[in-house]
Amino acid sequence: MKGLFKSKPRTPVEVVRQTRDLLIYANRSSDTRESKREEKMSELSKLIRELKSILYGNSEAEPQAEACCQLTQEFFKENTLRLLITCLPKLNLETRKDATQVVANLQRQQVHSRLIASDYLEANIDLMDVLISGYDNTDMALHYGAMLRECIRHQTVARYVLESAHMKKFFDYIQLPNFDIAADAAATFKELLTRHKSTVAEFLSKNYDWFFAEYNSKLLESTNYITRRQAVKLLGDILLDRSNSVVMTRYVSSRDNLRILMNLLRESSKSIQIEAFHVFKLFAANQNKPPDIVSILVANKSKLLRLFADFKTEKEDEQFEADKAQVVREIAALEPRDRP
């Protein structure tokens, strides 16, 4: 008989409320009856999958705007996000993946033209501390890392992370021996330093000294090839961004920075050489080169010109060739300056 009377489908609000109740149970539970706990955790997994299905749609239906709106409103009304984040280690792997996708989607859901996730996170910014410290936990790192990248789509959240003590930890996370976690941390680091232009420019200006000291020593001079390659590419992206022009001018006025870039130009890896060139060209193009920069370039003039004579990209690249020709002209024209 049971099959004849299908239960009425749960509304999005009900799904969120039931999820919240079970998350509270999972958080507090000291239930000694294993079977009871398993049953509840299994139900929680189903509910989280249902949340995902409402937000993303499924093989049978596209997501419905009204359902997504109701779900989002209910989700951020109370502490469901906090509960979900803190309970994540207690969920099984598939449910963690579903939960990560739910959190990611909710960052983009608008209710009455507002990203209410942003308002919630602003009021609960300490959740970022939990997500970032996930990089210290092998099981949680990729889930929390993915959530973190979605959360820093919100400028206030990105600013908090940039200005926090956590920022220094990324230099170590990027070099973790676990390749997947290191790559995830590098992706988050890149997002933090490229997404919100004005916030990044302000951060780099305020924190120039320690940030680039760490960047140079831990990333550009890392013994790890992948770390060096990613770091020099990201450095180019940062310095070539117009919003960072003040920082760029300062960076290319330093002889230590020039020395590091010239070493990267001599790497056996073509991709590192090319990325290093994109930063080096900024030193060459600087029309107000400090005397010590000029003297280093003059002292290495013949070596640099020889290097650039054979310097090619794998595919023909007109812009690269034009940049290279300009750099060669700049260096060829340099003359030793008489020191006062």
Side-chain angles (χ1 to χ4, degrees):
M1 289 294 288
K2 199 175 176 187
L4 293 175
F5 301 101
K6 280 199 172 173
S7 57
K8 193 176 160 200
R10 292 180 277 219
T11 66
V13 170
E14 286 168 343
V15 179
V16 174
R17 285 178 184 165
Q18 288 170 25
T19 303
R20 187 186 302 137
D21 290 343
L22 283 176
L23 286 168
I24 291 168
Y25 166 83
N27 238 357
R28 291 189 189 150
S29 174
S30 53
D31 207 323
T32 49
R33 289 165 301 168
E34 191 58 38
S35 60
K36 175 89 184 291
R37 182 172 175 77
E38 270 184 29
E39 187 187 318
K40 296 253 190 192
M41 294 308 280
S42 171
E43 178 60 20
L44 178 56
S45 292
K46 282 181 196 159
L47 285 161
I48 291 172
R49 200 172 313 127
E50 199 170 335
L51 289 174
K52 183 177 111 172
S53 178
I54 295 167
L55 291 168
Y56 287 93
N58 53 37
S59 55
E60 293 160 24
E62 290 287 310
Q64 300 298 309
E66 183 54 34
C68 291
C69 181
Q70 288 172 12
L71 187 158
T72 306
Q73 273 184 298
E74 185 61 33
F75 198 93
F76 290 112
K77 228 184 238 178
E78 294 187 44
N79 263 345
T80 315
L81 181 61
R82 181 178 294 277
L83 285 165
L84 190 56
I85 287 171
T86 52
C87 269
L88 206 68
K90 298 181 180 181
L91 306 177
N92 65 41
L93 180 60
E94 282 310 308
T95 308
R96 284 177 195 168
K97 288 179 183 173
D98 288 342
T100 301
Q101 287 183 279
V102 167
V103 171
N105 187 294
L106 286 167
Q107 303 315 309
R108 305 161 193 238
Q109 289 289 343
Q110 294 198 6
V111 176
H112 307 311
S113 304
R114 278 189 73 77
L115 288 165
I116 61 172
S118 180
D119 299 336
Y120 177 87
L121 288 173
E122 216 173 318
N124 294 271
I125 201 73
D126 62 295
L127 285 174
M128 295 307 102
D129 305 338
V130 178
L131 295 182
I132 296 165
S133 60
Y135 283 120
D136 293 315
N137 179 332
T138 312
D139 294 331
M140 290 295 106
L142 300 183
H143 306 297
Y144 279 163
M147 287 184 185
L148 179 60
R149 274 191 300 287
E150 291 298 332
C151 291
I152 58 181
R153 294 168 67 86
H154 310 301
Q155 194 156 1
T156 50
V157 176
R159 183 180 289 114
Y160 170 79
V161 177
L162 284 167
E163 291 174 355
S164 73
H166 297 299
M167 205 52 202
K168 289 188 178 177
K169 295 180 188 172
F170 276 96
F171 292 100
D172 298 320
Y173 291 150
I174 288 168
Q175 300 187 83
L176 286 168
N178 181 310
F179 175 80
D180 291 334
I181 297 175
D184 195 278
T188 304
F189 187 67
K190 180 181 179 181
E191 187 76 358
L192 281 165
L193 291 167
T194 53
R195 177 172 276 277
H196 303 286
K197 309 289 189 195
S198 59
T199 303
V200 171
E202 187 185 336
F203 163 76
L204 291 173
S205 295
K206 274 191 203 163
N207 299 277
Y208 180 93
D209 291 327
W210 77 259
F211 180 84
F212 283 108
E214 292 278 287
Y215 200 101
N216 288 351
S217 63
K218 289 191 172 172
L219 304 185
L220 292 178
E221 296 185 303
S222 166
T223 54
N224 184 302
Y225 159 75
I226 292 171
T227 302
R228 291 197 308 281
R229 191 185 74 193
Q230 287 178 333
V232 70
K233 166 87 171 73
L234 178 57
L235 180 65
D237 292 344
I238 292 168
L239 297 182
L240 285 159
D241 194 303
R242 283 183 184 170
S243 56
N244 296 324
S245 58
V246 173
V247 168
M248 183 271 284
T249 303
R250 189 170 172 189
Y251 192 88
V252 301
S253 299
S254 155
R255 59 181 296 160
D256 288 339
N257 296 343
L258 176 58
R259 176 185 57 78
I260 291 167
L261 265 299
M262 285 172 65
N263 284 336
L264 289 167
L265 275 175
R266 290 164 47 204
E267 287 249 2
S268 56
S269 157
K270 195 73 176 171
S271 54
I272 288 184
Q273 279 190 317
I274 299 293
E275 296 302 343
F277 170 77
H278 288 305
V279 179
F280 177 81
K281 71 187 180 189
L282 298 171
F283 286 88
N286 181 8
Q287 295 307 301
N288 298 302
K289 296 180 188 70
D292 53 353
I293 296 284
V294 174
S295 58
I296 291 171
L297 292 174
V298 167
N300 290 276
K301 187 196 271 194
S302 57
K303 283 183 193 167
L304 286 165
L305 293 176
R306 266 203 312 277
L307 172 73
F308 292 135
D310 300 324
F311 208 47
K312 288 183 179 64
T313 50
E314 285 185 8
K315 290 179 185 166
E316 206 169 302
D317 183 335
E318 285 182 19
Q319 184 60 55
F320 175 81
E321 290 301 328
D323 287 349
K324 188 178 82 168
Q326 180 62 32
V327 166
V328 166
R329 279 196 297 275
E330 292 280 355
I331 291 172
L334 286 173
E335 296 294 341
R337 286 188 189 169
D338 295 328
R339 292 197 174 272

